[in-house]
Amino acid sequence: MTNLLFRKVRLLCSLLLLTAGIAGAQAQTKPITGKVTDESGMAIPGASIQVKGTSTGTSTGVDGTFKLNAPTNATTLIVSFIGYVKQEVIITGKSEISVSLKAESTTLTDVVVVGYGTSRKKDLTGSVVSIKSADFNKGIVTAPDQLIQGKVAGLMVVNNSGAPGGATTVRIRGNSSVRTGNQPLYVVDGMPLDGRTAKPSVAANGLGQTPDANPLNFINSFDIQSMDVLKDASATAIYGARGANGVVIITTKKGAAGPPRLDVSYSAGVSKIMKKLDVLDAAGYRSALKQYNLTAGDEGSSSDGLESILRTGTTQNVNVGVSGGSDNSIYRASFGLLDQQGIVKKTGLKKYTANLNGQYKFLENNHLGIDYTVQAAHTTEQIAPITNDAGFTGSLIGQALQWNPTLALRKPDGSFNILGVGSAINPEAMSAAYDDNVNINSILASISPYFKFTNDLEYRFTFSINHQVGERETQIASFINIDQVFGNGQAYYGNNTLTSRLYTHTLNYNKQVTKALFLSAVAGYEYQRFDYKGRSLGGLGFSTDQLKYTDILQSPSQTNTFMSSFRNPKSELQSYFGRANLNFFDKYLVTATLRADGSSKFGTNNKYGYFPSFAAKWNLSNEAFLKDNRTINQLALRVGWGLTGNQEFPAGAAQEQYTVNSNGGASLSNVANPNLKWESSKQLNAGVDYTFFGGRLYGSLDYFHKNTTNLLFNFPAIQPAPASNYWINLPANVVNKGVEIVLRGDIIATKNLTWNLGVNATFLKNELENYDGPPVLTGSISGQGVSNAYAQRLVNGKPLNSFYVRQFLGFDDNGQGKYTDGGNSQFFLGNPNPTAMLGVNTSVNYKQWTLGINSHGAFGMDVYNNTANTVLPIGNLGSRNISAKLVGTKESLSNPITVSSRYLEKANFMKLDNATLSYNIGNIGKVIKGASIYVTGQNLFIITKYSGFDPEVNTDKSINGVTSFGIEYSPYPTARSFLAGINFSL
């Protein structure tokens, strides 16, 4: 009994001692929390945290934070991540730390946004290019796409006109669609944009349709941190049905922990026309009249129609940003004003922007948090009557070019010289008579709560909304000599509303599973809805010019009024997606992506599309045979394949649609097609990434082959049929294939002098294959004498938008044009798509001085000069102006206006986009930090043989929605600008 009691007491004592030991061990640890970022403040997920001299450690979560229990006697943490310099951090007396890791080579370790997550550039398996704010183009920038023009291989950015806020044509690896949109998908802080704008459209009598605005105008470039261009299917498949034309991800600046910081920038500048067309002046006109034995046409004066509507435009841009916060709460707010006068009178853009974003973390371990962002903008666009499709009377630029230079613009009493209806229109009077203003209010907002189950697993919900309201007031005074407008006046009022709502649920998992394996994965569900509606009023016949026509639009005195409204059919997109990245030994990387998209746009038999992609990468430089090579710092092979889609066509196209007739009844306008399915693109990409000589020389080489099938197309229904239109999948292929080369290097790298040079080149071939359907015409040619004319068509075996025109052979003895086959046949004679593109960017830094130069060019394409064809023909002589180069050609005045190869011009060019000279002043006293001043020249010169304003032009000349490309028709001219500015922080 005694022994038994003794054993029980001994066991109890042992348990007590063991418990005390455990408790003592627990008491001898201390909690340490922190966050690991790169030098730019971007979080580094998966970084290793280890207590020096022990096996205790952890890794950072998706937001770069960590928590561990370290022994109380621990003094140092070792923080490391592949591609960054290992860092030892003293933790004595600390419970919370922040660590900023320095990249071993920034060309390899830059953080890139890849859609629903981020990746180190070194870990990318797809073709992705990241442009940071420091590398953006300088100058007057109204929309973000202008920031990266010439910066990315395979990316073409064409300003459709020189108007402030004008739309751009953006192509990533060529044109892929014959009927639907070819623009890339833009994603701003996780929100895929609609791609449209709420700007109401107007087509004034005799003047035509004014171009659209850039849908990205509401974004302030001052607020942008980076722009990431996703080019191949491996990178874009995560966006499924909208990734076929590439993706551009725009990430705005966020706050950082620390005391409040105020950033200020201000610039001001002037702009003038870059190039004028060579038309006759008064002396040249009189000489031409004599050469052609014309007795009429000399009005005895001297004038310049184009100069009368031009001016020196001024620009001001003011931006203020404030940021700060603590480790648990950061914020950034900014305000901006851009006031840009156009070089054409009564044109310009004013943009007011405000941006607020922040991040809050809750709970002791920061596992609960919320992110939010709000971008608001108000833009006011003043528009001149410069249109895409004006007829005989022309739009403002055409009117100015045509004006007889011997005819005075004003009478001796100072009033406008107005001719009869059907005669030339005085451009100065037209400018005074036309008033057109558009106001657009935009808001892009999101809220994103998240919960971290562990440091490795995070759930996030995001709600985003993009809402735009556009209002337009347009009027033409009654004194202008346009048919129906003269003596009546014309007015128009429009109001459009565009709304997109997005709901996204994601699970992100990032973990260093073993020493050899790192896993990054994301899975999610997304729902997006698009709504677009509008209303408009219009009228002719106003009794007074003393009141704004739009204020009295419903006056009974009007002889003709109209009212209209529209609401696009509901458009919804429901998606499921997932992506996994595996990294073995930092040598072998694999990425797999799958997205399923269901769209209300498609037929009942094809609601869902499935878009997979696969990619692999081999880091040869981490193999034993190259690891210690001092010359080759990085050498990696990439290969990827994937399927992406395109749903950029009208909502409801697969369903029956009705239209209201003038008698109040309704009729079927579109036949339902339950089998209509996704336009899809299969793309293969193979690439090499390299870095040599300690990062002094680096770049990439990519080959791509993109095959687009099931082309969405709107054919007229075969009659007899209940409706006129019918959407189908065209049995044809559009193939884009090519090579991209990127080479960058530090030519000089010394303490006081550095010089770096970057070159990117793209070689591209575009072709329509397997098409045996009827001719599809596009590329309408506008102006006098060319009703219903066209210059482009879809032809099997040729590039999209190929020029098919009569072949001009010169003039016969009577001065009449000669054509192959007498002009009865048309031939493939031109290609508007460039076969080669080039970007050259360089920066020289000497002590506190920096000179940056950016240029780009395109080669192998043709542009149709519709301006020369119909605005300035020889037949104008005697009443209107002509092109100066026509004098002496022996062309007869009676030679008819004909669409032909005579007006097809080689449009190869090389343009100096901008050059910036800056001086880094540094800190001034204790208040002003990092001050710098600069001067910038934009569109300084262009090398080209093209005779028009600018070979970089794309007037919208589509026919029945079939896209066109490479036609110039009296556009808003390109401006050359000079700015001076200052940046500093407080």
Side-chain angles (χ1 to χ4, degrees):
M1 183 70 182
T2 304
N3 290 337
L4 179 59
L5 180 61
F6 176 75
R7 284 196 299 268
K8 289 183 177 181
V9 171
R10 186 173 61 181
L11 178 60
L12 178 61
C13 292
S14 299
L15 290 173
L16 291 173
L17 289 172
L18 179 60
T19 303
I22 294 174
Q26 291 178 338
Q28 293 172 14
T29 63
K30 59 180 180 180
I32 301 291
T33 61
K35 183 174 183 178
V36 180
T37 63
D38 63 13
E39 293 175 293
S40 69
M42 295 289 287
I44 299 179
S48 174
I49 315 295
Q50 186 174 4
V51 179
K52 187 174 183 180
T54 74
S55 59
T56 303
T58 186
S59 60
T60 57
V62 292
D63 60 354
T65 62
F66 69 89
K67 180 179 180 180
L68 61 76
N69 290 315
T72 53
N73 59 352
T75 60
T76 307
L77 292 184
I78 299 175
V79 184
S80 62
F81 192 61
I82 298 171
Y84 290 82
V85 178
K86 184 184 298 184
Q87 189 175 145
E88 294 190 0
V89 182
I90 303 300
I91 58 173
T92 303
K94 299 178 180 178
S95 61
E96 188 173 338
I97 63 171
S98 294
V99 183
S100 176
L101 293 183
K102 181 179 180 181
E104 292 176 340
S105 172
T106 57
T107 63
L108 304 180
T109 57
D110 283 343
V111 175
V112 179
V113 181
V114 291
Y116 308 100
T118 60
S119 174
R120 292 176 305 159
K121 185 176 180 180
K122 189 175 182 180
D123 292 338
L124 293 174
T125 56
S127 183
V128 180
V129 177
S130 182
I131 307 297
K132 306 299 183 184
S133 58
D135 298 319
F136 288 161
N137 287 324
K138 305 300 188 293
I140 301 173
V141 175
T142 58
D145 43 20
Q146 299 164 348
L147 296 170
I148 55 177
Q149 186 178 41
K151 297 285 189 178
V152 179
L155 174 70
M156 179 177 65
V157 180
V158 176
N159 295 314
N160 293 356
S161 76
T168 56
T169 296
V170 181
R171 299 289 183 266
I172 297 177
R173 295 182 168 180
N175 289 324
S176 298
S177 182
V178 299
R179 177 57 174 78
T180 56
N182 277 291
Q183 298 284 96
L185 173 68
Y186 291 97
V187 181
V188 180
D189 288 335
M191 174 67 167
L193 299 184
D194 184 283
R196 296 174 291 182
T197 174
K199 176 181 177 179
S201 62
V202 61
N205 279 12
L207 296 175
Q209 182 81 35
T210 55
D212 207 348
N214 194 315
L216 303 178
N217 279 341
F218 72 94
I219 303 173
N220 186 351
S221 60
F222 175 77
D223 292 324
I224 300 177
Q225 176 65 36
S226 66
M227 295 181 67
D228 299 282
V229 182
L230 283 55
K231 297 188 288 185
D232 72 335
S234 172
T236 64
I238 193 70
Y239 290 103
R242 294 169 291 178
N245 298 317
V247 180
V248 178
I249 299 178
I250 300 172
T251 304
T252 59
K253 296 174 182 176
K254 304 297 187 291
R261 167 182 169 142
L262 183 69
D263 297 313
V264 180
S265 75
Y266 174 78
S267 65
V270 295
S271 303
K272 294 184 71 69
I273 189 171
M274 183 178 74
K275 177 187 177 183
K276 290 185 178 181
L277 299 192
D278 190 13
V279 296
L280 296 176
D281 60 10
Y285 198 79
R286 294 186 177 98
S287 176
L289 292 174
K290 291 180 180 179
Q291 289 185 43
Y292 283 87
N293 299 315
L294 294 177
T295 57
D298 184 357
E299 303 297 335
S301 187
S302 178
S303 61
D304 188 331
L306 184 61
E307 191 63 32
S308 73
I309 62 169
L310 295 178
R311 66 181 176 188
T312 298
T314 61
T315 298
Q316 290 192 82
N317 193 3
V318 184
N319 291 285
V320 178
V322 59
S323 61
S326 64
D327 288 337
N328 294 327
S329 173
I330 60 174
Y331 66 90
R332 182 181 184 272
S334 67
F335 306 91
L337 166 63
L338 171 66
D339 186 358
Q340 181 188 2
Q341 284 185 343
I343 59 172
V344 175
K345 293 176 181 177
K346 296 177 72 175
T347 66
L349 177 72
K350 285 185 178 181
K351 178 165 68 172
Y352 305 87
T353 60
N355 189 316
L356 175 65
N357 63 67
Q359 302 173 13
Y360 291 97
K361 296 178 183 178
F362 308 98
L363 303 183
E364 183 180 353
N365 53 13
N366 293 331
H367 276 201
L368 178 65
I370 188 169
D371 300 341
Y372 66 89
T373 179
V374 180
Q375 297 183 56
H378 173 82
T379 59
T380 298
E381 186 181 1
Q382 188 178 22
I383 303 171
I386 301 172
T387 62
N388 293 334
D389 53 357
F392 175 76
T393 52
S395 64
L396 183 63
I397 297 298
Q399 294 161 2
L401 293 172
Q402 289 183 333
W403 185 256
N404 184 338
T406 69
L407 179 62
L409 291 160
R410 291 180 180 265
K411 297 177 181 178
D413 62 1
S415 62
F416 291 119
N417 193 0
I418 304 295
L419 307 180
V421 173
S423 301
I425 296 176
N426 184 328
E428 189 174 10
M430 184 74 249
S431 178
Y434 188 87
D435 290 291
D436 193 352
N437 293 277
V438 178
N439 290 281
I440 299 179
N441 294 310
S442 306
I443 186 167
L444 176 65
S446 69
I447 186 167
S448 182
Y450 65 88
F451 180 76
K452 295 175 61 176
F453 298 97
T454 68
N455 285 336
D456 309 311
L457 180 63
E458 177 187 284
Y459 163 76
R460 182 180 291 267
F461 167 71
T462 302
F463 170 70
S464 303
I465 185 168
N466 184 18
H467 183 69
Q468 287 189 2
V469 177
E471 183 181 59
R472 184 169 187 173
E473 294 183 348
T474 307
Q475 73 173 46
I476 309 175
S478 60
F479 63 79
I480 206 69
N481 55 320
I482 296 178
D483 187 29
Q484 297 186 57
V485 176
F486 186 67
N488 287 307
Q490 182 178 11
Y492 166 89
Y493 171 83
N495 183 285
N496 287 357
T497 302
L498 179 66
T499 305
S500 175
R501 300 174 182 86
L502 178 73
Y503 305 83
T504 306
H505 302 266
T506 57
L507 272 176
N508 271 278
Y509 184 75
N510 294 272
K511 186 175 180 60
Q512 191 74 42
V513 180
T514 68
K515 185 177 181 180
L517 173 63
F518 179 77
L519 170 63
S520 175
V522 61
Y525 166 82
E526 192 168 75
Y527 170 82
Q528 190 165 11
R529 175 172 174 168
F530 308 90
D531 294 290
Y532 192 31
K533 62 181 180 180
R535 300 173 181 84
S536 60
L537 302 172
L540 288 167
F542 294 87
S543 58
T544 177
D545 289 344
Q546 302 305 309
L547 298 172
K548 286 180 60 177
Y549 293 170
T550 49
D551 290 345
I552 55 174
L553 195 51
Q554 293 303 297
S555 170
S557 65
Q558 294 162 45
T559 59
N560 182 19
T561 61
F562 70 86
M563 300 175 61
S564 67
S565 64
F566 73 91
R567 180 188 290 270
N568 282 5
K570 180 178 65 174
S571 177
E572 296 174 296
L573 190 66
Q574 179 176 259
S575 310
Y576 304 88
F577 56 88
R579 179 182 60 218
N581 300 290
L582 298 173
N583 184 331
F584 299 92
F585 300 102
D586 201 30
K587 298 178 184 179
Y588 318 110
L589 294 87
V590 179
T591 302
T593 305
L594 176 64
R595 181 167 178 132
D597 280 320
S599 173
S600 60
K601 289 185 176 182
F602 290 94
T604 54
N605 297 335
N606 291 295
K607 286 291 186 183
Y608 275 86
Y610 300 92
F611 305 98
S613 76
F614 307 93
K617 182 174 180 177
W618 181 20
N619 280 327
L620 284 82
S621 48
N622 286 341
E623 296 288 358
F625 56 85
L626 283 179
K627 193 168 186 179
D628 296 324
N629 191 296
R630 296 184 179 181
T631 301
I632 303 175
N633 304 104
Q634 189 226 10
L635 184 62
L637 304 179
R638 290 178 283 105
V639 63
W641 174 93
L643 182 67
T644 50
N646 186 355
Q647 65 141 21
E648 296 307 314
F649 75 111
Q655 292 83 39
E656 288 186 347
Q657 293 188 57
Y658 291 83
T659 186
V660 178
N661 303 322
S662 57
N663 60 8
S667 62
L668 188 66
S669 61
N670 186 75
V671 179
N673 181 359
N675 296 316
L676 192 68
K677 57 185 175 182
W678 304 88
E679 182 173 290
S680 57
S681 295
K682 296 178 183 177
Q683 186 171 176
L684 173 68
N685 191 94
V688 180
D689 300 319
Y690 58 86
T691 302
F692 301 142
F693 311 117
R696 293 284 295 273
L697 181 67
Y698 56 97
S700 62
L701 173 67
D702 279 81
Y703 167 79
F704 61 89
H705 186 284
K706 182 165 68 170
N707 184 2
T708 303
T709 58
N710 298 320
L711 308 177
L712 289 162
F713 199 79
N714 185 11
F715 262 132
I718 299 174
Q719 299 299 321
S724 58
N725 294 314
Y726 184 67
W727 279 86
I728 66 169
N729 291 107
L730 201 66
N733 304 65
V734 176
V735 176
N736 286 282
K737 55 185 176 182
V739 175
E740 298 170 348
I741 302 171
V742 178
L743 179 64
R744 298 185 178 93
D746 297 327
I747 299 174
I748 299 175
T750 64
K751 181 179 179 181
N752 292 325
L753 177 64
T754 61
W755 175 24
N756 62 68
L757 176 66
V759 178
N760 66 79
T762 305
F763 303 93
L764 175 67
K765 182 179 181 181
N766 173 275
E767 188 173 313
L768 177 66
E769 298 180 354
N770 302 319
Y771 177 68
D772 59 1
V776 177
L777 310 179
T778 188
S780 65
I781 301 301
S782 302
Q784 56 181 319
V786 291
S787 298
N788 301 316
Y790 64 91
Q792 296 175 328
R793 67 169 69 170
L794 303 182
V795 177
N796 189 56
K798 302 298 182 183
L800 289 185
N801 305 123
S802 293
F803 289 111
Y804 264 75
V805 293
R806 297 173 180 86
Q807 189 170 34
F808 178 68
L809 300 176
F811 301 106
D812 63 17
D813 294 338
N814 297 317
Q816 301 295 312
K818 297 189 298 182
Y819 305 92
T820 300
D821 190 30
N824 294 315
S825 300
Q826 295 172 320
F827 304 91
F828 167 62
L829 296 173
N831 177 15
N833 306 289
T835 57
M837 297 183 293
L838 180 67
V840 180
N841 308 284
T842 188
S843 178
V844 179
N845 181 273
Y846 177 70
K847 293 185 177 179
Q848 293 168 280
W849 293 93
T850 300
L851 173 64
I853 298 175
N854 303 296
S855 59
H856 81 285
F859 310 90
M861 75 283 193
D862 304 284
V863 167
Y864 192 88
N865 195 333
N866 191 170
T867 307
N869 189 180
T870 64
V871 176
L872 300 170
I874 192 71
N876 282 1
L877 193 63
S879 59
R880 293 177 169 86
N881 207 350
I882 65 172
S883 171
K885 69 178 183 179
L886 297 180
V887 178
T889 61
K890 299 183 179 180
E891 179 182 3
S892 171
L893 298 182
S894 64
N895 185 37
I897 296 173
T898 305
V899 177
S900 74
S901 61
R902 180 184 180 187
Y903 304 102
L904 268 181
E905 299 187 40
K906 292 297 179 185
N908 300 339
F909 73 90
M910 194 70 197
K911 181 184 289 187
L912 179 57
D913 298 312
N914 54 77
T916 300
L917 179 64
S918 62
Y919 180 76
N920 182 20
I921 300 172
N923 298 339
I924 303 176
K926 296 182 179 180
V927 178
I928 298 177
K929 307 293 183 182
S932 65
I933 55 175
Y934 63 91
V935 291
T936 294
Q938 191 173 8
N939 292 326
L940 293 178
F941 68 82
I942 184 170
I943 302 172
T944 185
K945 292 183 178 181
Y946 180 66
S947 64
F949 285 116
D950 191 341
E952 249 194 325
V953 67
N954 184 33
T955 308
D956 181 6
K957 307 300 293 179
S958 59
I959 296 178
N960 296 325
V962 180
T963 57
S964 68
F965 187 64
I967 298 177
E968 184 218 65
Y969 184 49
S970 54
Y972 193 114
T974 301
R976 176 179 290 119
S977 304
F978 297 92
L979 297 96
I982 183 170
N983 300 312
F984 61 89
S985 299
L986 300 176

